[in-house]
Structure formats: structure tokens, C-alpha cells
Amino acid sequence: MAYTVGQVARVAGVTVRTLHHYDEIGLLSPSGRTAAGYRRYDDADLQRLQLVLYYRELGFPLEEIASIIDDPAADPAAHLRRQHELLTVRIKRLQEMVTAIEFAMEASKLNIQLTPEERFEVFGDFRPEEHEAEAERRWGDTDAYRESSRRASRYSRDDWLRIKAENEDWGRRIVAVLGSNAPADSPEAMELAEEHRQIIGRWFYDCSYEMHTGLADMYLADERFTAHYESIAPGLAAYLNEAIHANAISRA
């Protein structure tokens, strides 16, 4: 079946000018023309246009799209696999961007009064507001969350540096216990789990054992939290989860 340039433009959601440009650069030339010289596209042309638009949507330059599509070693199935891979990567990236925006929105609620340079000095790649964002989703209507926001809004650079030092010291000690092969329900591990709970209580909000075990579960269920603790030491996320649960049970 033959299609006019106007029909193809409407079906594909592009302009006639775009189709003319694709023809001029050899990216998509119609298979036929009328006696008067008007372009006529067939089904194969439309399939090629679909590929062009797929790759264009993914951000590929037109010259590279032509090379990809004209690759003699590629078949339709290979193109679909490649598009699937690229779209999967893009979806993941967009999800990361959405998460980052959500974190930024939540951070504004905390009203942390630090300059960008001070934030980097204090936090580096770690953002306490990431934990606060998750806490709000679970406990946003609680006194604990409101207390955390109130305290955080008052902290100075020096306060945040003290928090950072405490967490780093705790991190070194929990990694040492993990490295000693002590079980997660050992007295040493549970003591550090309790200290973890107390650090939260000292600086942010009164962290009950129920809330603490809820946080521990997020360390495994949410890849952001898992990645943070795994960056400290492989296996730490699961180890801390077990230690927090064991500590809560032993002190119940």
C-alpha cells in the first residue's frame, strides 16, 4: 500500500518538513514517487521510520541512527532487543532522576541551613534527608517525624560534623564486628545496633524499637539504603538488619 507524505506525517506524529529532511539526508527516502514527483511511502518505509523514531526518542543523532539501521548484520529482532535494552536503561535513569527530585523536595522541608560547600563537606555523597524522606512516607503524621524536622532545621555545620563523626566511628566499629565473624545476634553486634538506635534518638527523633526494626527492614527492601550500607562493607545491610531485630527482641 502506498502512503502520501501527509498521511505518513499524521500516522507517525511528525511534520511533513521532518520527513522531507529525512529524505534529503538519505535517512528515509520514499520507495516511490508519482508521475508528478510526489513522494509515496510503502509499508517497509513505515517500518524504517518507526526504527528512526525509536532511536531518535532515545537521543541518538541522525547520522548514528542511519548507521545502526543500515547495519547489514542487524535484523528486526536484533533491533527490538537493542531498543529494549536502551529503553530499560533509560527507564532506570528516569526513575533515578525522579527519586533525586523527590529527595530534593523532601530536603527543602528539613530546611537544613548549609551552603552547598558545607553540605558537601558534611555529607559528601550521603544525604540524611534520604532517610527522612522514607521516614515521612511511613511516619509523616507522627510526633517523631515532626521532632526530627524541628531538630534538623536548627543544626549548624558543626552539629552536622559531629553527627558525621559519630556515624563514621560507629561505622568503623560495626565493620570490625562484622569482619570478626561474630553472629548478628552476638552481644557485640546487638550493642552496636542499640547504639545505632540511640544515635538516631540523640540527633533526630525518639526511635522506638518498632521504628528501628522498620528502618532495618528498609535497609534490605530499598536498594538506596542497601547500597549505602554495602558501600561501607559488603554484607553490612543484612548484618545490621539481623542485629537490629535481635536487639529489639532481646530488649523487649
Side-chain angles (χ1 to χ4, degrees):
M1 182 174 178
Y3 306 89
T4 68
V5 67
Q7 289 174 322
V8 173
R10 286 192 295 274
V11 169
V14 298
T15 65
V16 170
R17 184 177 179 180
T18 294
L19 293 174
H20 286 175
H21 179 61
Y22 288 173
D23 185 10
E24 290 166 2
I25 64 175
L27 180 60
L28 178 67
S29 297
S31 299
R33 289 184 180 266
T34 67
Y38 293 113
R39 295 170 175 84
R40 284 292 183 266
Y41 296 84
D42 62 17
D43 290 335
D45 296 331
L46 266 61
Q47 290 176 3
R48 182 180 176 89
L49 176 59
Q50 186 179 46
L51 289 175
V52 169
L53 296 178
Y54 274 141
Y55 287 115
R56 191 66 177 139
E57 177 66 22
L58 291 167
F60 283 76
L62 297 179
E63 297 80 2
E64 188 172 348
I65 293 173
S67 299
I68 294 171
I69 295 176
D70 293 331
D71 181 0
D75 59 19
H79 280 302
L80 288 173
R81 285 194 298 271
R82 179 170 176 77
Q83 290 158 21
H84 182 272
E85 292 169 1
L86 292 170
L87 285 170
T88 299
V89 170
R90 186 176 184 186
I91 289 169
K92 183 176 185 296
R93 175 59 181 156
L94 288 173
Q95 288 173 334
E96 291 172 351
M97 290 174 65
V98 169
T99 299
I101 292 170
E102 288 176 348
F103 286 169
M105 292 167 63
E106 297 300 338
S108 68
K109 293 182 181 180
L110 293 181
N111 194 30
I112 295 175
Q113 300 299 321
L114 297 177
T115 67
E117 293 78 11
E118 289 173 335
R119 287 179 66 88
F120 184 80
E121 177 189 6
V122 171
F123 302 128
D125 292 332
F126 175 70
R127 292 290 182 270
E129 60 264 21
E130 296 178 12
H131 297 262
E132 289 300 317
E134 200 68 36
E136 186 186 21
R137 277 189 279 273
R138 288 193 173 216
W139 305 295
D141 294 331
T142 66
D143 292 337
Y145 180 78
R146 286 187 285 271
E147 175 66 11
S148 176
S149 298
R150 184 186 66 80
R151 293 192 202 179
S153 68
R154 298 200 319 259
Y155 290 153
S156 67
R157 167 184 169 275
D158 289 340
D159 290 326
W160 287 112
L161 287 173
R162 281 193 289 273
I163 296 171
K164 179 183 180 182
E166 279 194 22
N167 277 284
E168 288 177 345
D169 176 64
W170 173 86
R172 285 189 290 269
R173 287 182 286 119
I174 190 72
V175 168
V177 172
L178 172 65
S180 72
N181 293 321
D185 60 354
S186 66
E188 299 87 349
M190 288 193 294
E191 186 61 32
L192 284 168
E194 177 64 18
E195 184 177 337
H196 180 270
R197 188 183 73 86
Q198 291 176 4
I199 290 173
I200 295 172
R202 182 160 54 253
W203 290 104
F204 296 105
Y205 54 87
D206 184 15
C207 185
S208 67
Y209 289 106
E210 179 182 3
M211 293 181 72
H212 202 210
T213 55
L215 288 171
D217 289 341
M218 284 195 296
Y219 298 159
L220 294 183
D222 191 312
E223 62 182 12
R224 295 165 297 175
F225 291 90
T226 304
H228 168 66
Y229 285 105
E230 291 300 296
S231 71
I232 299 174
L236 181 57
Y239 188 79
L240 181 57
N241 173 277
E242 292 182 31
I244 288 173
H245 277 276
N247 180 62
I249 292 171
S250 70
R251 296 174 186 266

